[in-house]
Amino acid sequence: DTEVTQTPKHLVMGMTNKKSLKCEQHMGHRAMYWYKQKAKKPPELMFVYSYEKLSINESVPSRFSPECPNSSLLNLHLHALQPEDSALYLCASSQDGLAVSYNEQFFGPGTRLTVL
Amino acid sequence: LAKTTQPISMDSYEGQEVNITCSHNNIATNDYITWYQQFPSQGPRFIIQGYKTKVTNEVASLFIPADRKSSTLSLPRVSLSDTAVYYCLVLTGGGNKLTFGTGTQLKVEL
C-alpha cells in the first residue's frame, strides 16, 4: 500500500464548530506532515511529526491542534476557525523519521475545508 | 527572508522539451532539492531529487549549478498530461524551514 488517505474529502464548518481531519498511511513511514494550501499558492508547512512526536510547529494558531495517535495515523483538530482558514489541507508522509526530511514525501489528496 | 521563486507560468507544445527554473539563494548547505508535480484537487507528487550537478530518472532531469542557488527541472518531450503546476522544495533559513517554491503552471498544447 503506497497511498496516503485523507478524510473527509470536503468539510464545511461554522466558526463555532469543532471538527477533525484524518490522515492515514500504511507504508511504515516515520514522519508525517500537515500542510495548508490556498488557491493558486504553494503548500505551506504547518506541523511535522517525527516518530510520533511533534517536532515542528510553524507558528500555527492554537485553533489548529495536531495529534498523532500512532505511527499510521495523523489527526488535525479544528476549533473556532475563521473564514480565512478555508483552504486545502494536505497530509504527507516520508520514510525517514527526521523532522525535515530529505526523503520523498507522499501526499494525500487533501481535505477541502470551507469555514462559514 | 528570501523567497524560493519560480516563473509563474510556461506554455509549450507536445513533443517539446520544457525547462523550469527555481531560484533558491537561501538554500541550506546540506539540503537536497526536490521537485513535485501537482494536478488540480490532488496532492503534489514527487518527480525528482538531487544535491548537485545532474540527476536523471525516467521522467525528468534536474540540473544544479555549483553554487546551488538555483536548479532547473527538464521535462523531455512533454505531452498534454504534463499540464500541471510544478514546485521545487528546499530547506532554507539555515536548514530548518521546509519551503516550497512559488510554483510554475505549465500548459501543454497540441
Side-chain angles (χ1 to χ4, degrees):
Chain A
D1 186 356
T2 59
E3 198 179 35
V4 175
T5 59
Q6 290 188 244
T7 53
K9 195 176 173 85
H10 300 276
L11 179 62
V12 179
M13 61 185 291
M15 290 189 285
T16 59
N17 292 159
K18 285 185 180 181
K19 297 286 184 183
S20 296
L21 309 184
K22 180 180 173 181
C23 173
E24 198 163 359
Q25 59 89 10
H26 296 287
M27 295 177 278
H29 289 177
R30 302 317 302 269
M32 295 186 77
Y33 311 71
W34 280 115
Y35 289 86
K36 173 183 177 180
Q37 186 175 28
K38 301 283 274 185
K40 299 191 184 301
K41 297 291 185 183
E44 294 178 26
L45 184 65
M46 300 174 72
F47 302 104
V48 180
Y49 273 82
S50 176
Y51 294 102
E52 300 160 48
K53 294 191 187 312
L54 183 64
S55 57
I56 292 180
N57 175 343
E58 290 287 0
S59 303
V60 179
S62 60
R63 57 186 184 268
F64 295 92
S65 175
E67 178 197 18
C68 189
N70 59 57
S71 59
S72 300
L73 276 175
L74 187 66
N75 298 321
L76 186 63
H77 303 298
L78 315 172
H79 175 53
L81 294 195
Q82 304 296 311
E84 58 264 29
D85 295 321
S86 298
L88 181 68
Y89 287 84
L90 293 162
C91 173
S93 69
S94 64
Q95 184 173 22
D96 198 323
L98 290 174
V100 281
S101 173
Y102 302 145
N103 287 176
E104 172 184 355
Q105 292 185 45
F106 291 76
F107 284 83
T111 293
R112 177 77 58 190
L113 175 67
T114 302
V115 182
L116 300 176
Chain B
L1 186 65
K3 286 183 73 174
T4 303
T5 56
Q6 302 175 230
I8 293 174
S9 63
M10 297 184 73
D11 294 330
S12 184
Y13 293 98
E14 276 203 316
Q16 289 191 328
E17 178 184 77
V18 171
N19 296 309
I20 305 173
T21 60
C22 177
S23 173
H24 35 73
N25 54 16
N26 198 31
I27 188 172
T29 304
N30 297 320
D31 185 40
Y32 282 72
I33 298 152
T34 312
W35 282 79
Y36 288 84
Q37 175 192 58
Q38 187 176 27
F39 296 110
S41 299
Q42 293 186 25
R45 186 176 68 174
F46 175 90
I47 302 173
I48 196 167
Q49 183 182 68
Y51 181 75
K52 61 180 180 180
T53 61
K54 178 183 174 183
V55 179
T56 297
N57 63 19
E58 62 275 9
V59 298
S61 294
L62 178 59
F63 298 91
I64 304 167
D67 66 6
R68 297 186 359 100
K69 292 184 184 301
S70 66
S71 58
T72 299
L73 173 71
S74 181
L75 303 172
R77 298 179 299 280
V78 294
S79 64
L80 292 174
S81 62
D82 293 318
T83 294
V85 180
Y86 292 81
Y87 292 103
C88 59
L89 175 65
V90 296
L91 272 174
T92 61
N96 58 6
K97 188 164 178 64
L98 202 55
T99 306
F100 275 93
T102 49
T104 299
Q105 171 68 63
L106 172 65
K107 183 179 178 183
V108 180
E109 297 176 291
L110 286 172

